[in-house]
Amino acid sequence: MDLAFLHPLYEDSGPWASAYVDLSRHAEDTAHARELTAQAVARELAGQGADEATCRAVRDAVDDLRHSSDPHGRALFAHAGEVVLDPPLARAPQGGTTAHWAPLPHVAPLLELAGEDPVCLVAYVDRTGARFELRSALGERDAGSVTGRTHPVHRTSSADWSERHFQLKVENTWEHNAAEVADALAACQEETGADLLILVGEDREQRAVGERLPQRLQDRVVRAPHGAGSRLLDEDVQNARAEHVRQRAQQDLDRFLAARAPDDEGRAAAVEGVPALVGAAREHRIDELLINPEGPDNHRDVWIGEDPDQLAVRRTELATLGEQNSWSARADDALLRSAVATGAPAISVTPALPDPSADTPSGGLGALLRWR
C-alpha cells in the first residue's frame, strides 16, 4: 500500500481523533439510527479525552455520511476541530463503527480496510469488438468500447473453394478485431491504472485478445470461466481480485522470510520485533513495512517525539537523543508514521495467511531494509 496519501496527517502534532465508520448497513438504517451513530462516536471520543471542537467536527462528518454512496464505510481523521482526511474503505470495519483518540492517528486498520483493493478492467469480448467496465470496491462504471470489422465474422459449413476463401476472410476479420481489442484494452489499462484485466467471452476470443496484449500486461490477465450473462461472473471477478491480493502479499512475505536470514557477515536484509524496527526507523532504513494485524506487538507502546524519526522503546532514549517532548503511542502507528515520512510502502500479510501457523514477522511487525 502506497502511504503517500497519509502525509496530511503528519503535518501537525496530535492528539488525533480516528473513526472507522461502518456503512455496510447504510441502506437499512433510518435517519435516526445514523444520527445516533454520529452521537455515539462523538461521545466515545469525548470519553477518551478529545476536545469539544474535534468531537463536534467528527460528529458532523459522520452525520453527513447519511448522504454517502460508499458501500462499505469511511475513515475519518480529525485534529484541532477539523477533519483532515476521510478516505473511503474497501471493506466494512469488523465489529462495526469504532473511534480512537491518541497522540497519533490510528491508521493501521487502513492496511486491511483500504489497502490492497485491485481495480479490475473487465473486457466483454466478442468477434466484433469489446465493451470495457471498470470495477473497484466503490462500484463499477463504463470504461468505453471498441468496434472492429463487422463483416465477415461467421463461418459456413461448405467445403468448396469459394467458401474456403470466404472462411479465410472470416479468420482475418477475427484476428484484426482481436488486435484492435487488445490495443484498446492496453490503452484503457494505462489510462485507468487497472491492476487486473479480466477477459469475458468465448475461449477463442479470450485467447486471441490475451495473446496480443503487451508483455507488460501478461501477468495481469485473467480469463473468466463464465460468460457475461452468467450469475457467477461477479464471483469470478471477486475471486480474481482476492487471488491477486493473496499473491502480492505472499510475494512480499516470501521476500521478507528470505531476507531475514543473515549473510556471510552476519547481516540480514530484514528485521522484526519492536526494538529492531525502532532502530531501523530512526535510521530511515525501512524499505517496506509488513504488518500482521493479529500480532501482539502492534499495540505495544513505544515513545515518540514530534518528528517521525524520533521514536524509542524507552522514554529515556528520546531524552538521550535530545527530544524534550515525548508521548506513548502504538508501535504500528508510530512505525507507519516513519514509513510515510520516508516514502516506504506497507502491507498487511493477512491475505497470505490461510494457515494460522504460517511463518510471519515475530510479534506481527517486520520490515525489509534499504541496506543491511
Side-chain angles (χ1 to χ4, degrees):
M1 182 180 186
D2 185 348
L3 304 175
F5 74 101
L6 296 177
H7 270 289
L9 300 183
Y10 305 111
E11 293 175 357
D12 296 301
S13 57
W16 285 83
S18 307
Y20 290 85
V21 185
D22 184 359
L23 297 177
S24 60
R25 294 172 52 88
H26 195 69
E28 304 169 26
D29 288 343
T30 64
H32 180 61
R34 293 191 287 272
E35 182 181 352
L36 290 178
T37 297
Q39 293 174 357
V41 170
R43 189 164 52 250
E44 175 65 24
L45 290 171
Q48 296 180 37
D51 60 275
E52 183 179 348
T54 301
C55 291
R56 183 168 57 251
V58 174
R59 184 192 64 210
D60 291 346
V62 175
D63 191 49
D64 285 345
L65 290 176
R66 66 182 183 275
H67 306 298
S68 172
S69 58
D70 294 339
H72 306 293
R74 191 170 284 267
L76 302 170
F77 300 100
H79 162 73
E82 178 185 1
V83 174
V84 177
L85 197 67
D86 61 342
L89 304 179
R91 52 193 60 83
Q94 285 189 344
T97 299
T98 58
H100 312 268
W101 178 250
L104 290 179
H106 184 38
V107 299
L110 288 177
L111 296 184
E112 293 261 291
L113 302 178
E116 285 289 317
D117 173 36
V119 175
C120 298
L121 191 56
V122 182
Y124 298 92
V125 181
D126 59 31
R127 296 176 183 178
T128 63
R131 174 175 61 87
F132 305 144
E133 180 181 83
L134 200 66
R135 295 195 183 194
S136 72
L138 301 180
E140 55 191 64
R141 65 174 177 83
D142 178 73
S145 63
V146 57
T147 302
R149 297 173 183 169
T150 58
H151 182 79
V153 293
H154 297 291
R155 288 176 168 173
T156 67
S157 57
S158 175
D160 63 37
W161 180 88
S162 62
E163 291 303 326
R164 288 199 303 272
H165 182 67
F166 178 81
Q167 290 176 14
L168 180 59
K169 288 185 176 181
V170 171
E171 294 283 347
N172 290 337
T173 299
W174 286 358
E175 292 182 7
H176 173 273
N177 290 350
E180 284 206 8
V181 170
D183 288 345
L185 185 56
C188 191
Q189 186 280 330
E190 187 169 358
E191 179 183 346
T192 60
D195 303 287
L196 285 174
L197 306 178
I198 300 181
L199 303 179
V200 181
E202 295 184 7
D203 182 69
R204 177 185 176 125
E205 281 75 47
Q206 289 185 359
R207 186 171 63 253
V209 171
E211 291 172 350
R212 288 166 172 79
L213 285 167
Q215 188 61 40
R216 66 179 179 85
L217 297 178
Q218 289 298 323
D219 62 350
R220 302 184 183 217
V221 178
V222 176
R223 297 187 194 176
H226 300 96
S230 172
R231 294 177 300 170
L232 298 177
L233 178 59
D234 287 344
E235 185 177 337
D236 293 340
V237 173
Q238 286 301 107
N239 289 341
R241 293 171 69 187
E243 178 59 18
H244 175 81
V245 171
R246 189 200 67 77
Q247 289 181 359
R248 287 286 302 275
Q250 188 65 60
Q251 289 168 3
D252 285 353
L253 181 57
D254 289 345
R255 286 175 56 219
F256 169 82
L257 296 176
R260 70 181 180 181
D263 61 15
D264 294 339
E265 298 180 6
R267 297 175 300 182
V271 293
E272 57 193 331
V274 171
L277 285 163
V278 164
R282 280 207 302 251
E283 298 171 358
H284 300 183
R285 295 174 62 205
I286 293 179
D287 191 50
E288 182 176 20
L289 189 63
L290 290 83
I291 296 180
N292 177 359
E294 301 301 320
D297 281 350
N298 294 330
H299 49 75
R300 175 176 168 178
D301 281 345
V302 297
W303 291 92
I304 62 167
E306 293 183 359
D307 296 328
D309 58 358
Q310 293 173 335
L311 69 165
V313 176
R314 290 178 293 275
R315 190 173 195 172
T316 52
E317 291 180 57
L318 284 183
T320 303
L321 295 171
E323 177 58 35
Q324 300 300 315
N325 300 312
S326 59
W327 304 267
S328 65
R330 287 177 57 114
D332 51 6
D333 287 329
L335 290 167
L336 282 165
R337 179 178 71 154
S338 296
V340 171
T342 58
I347 188 170
S348 166
V349 300
T350 299
L353 302 177
D355 179 3
S357 65
D359 197 3
T360 65
S362 176
L365 297 171
L368 290 158
L369 300 179
R370 287 181 171 148
W371 63 87
R372 293 177 188 264

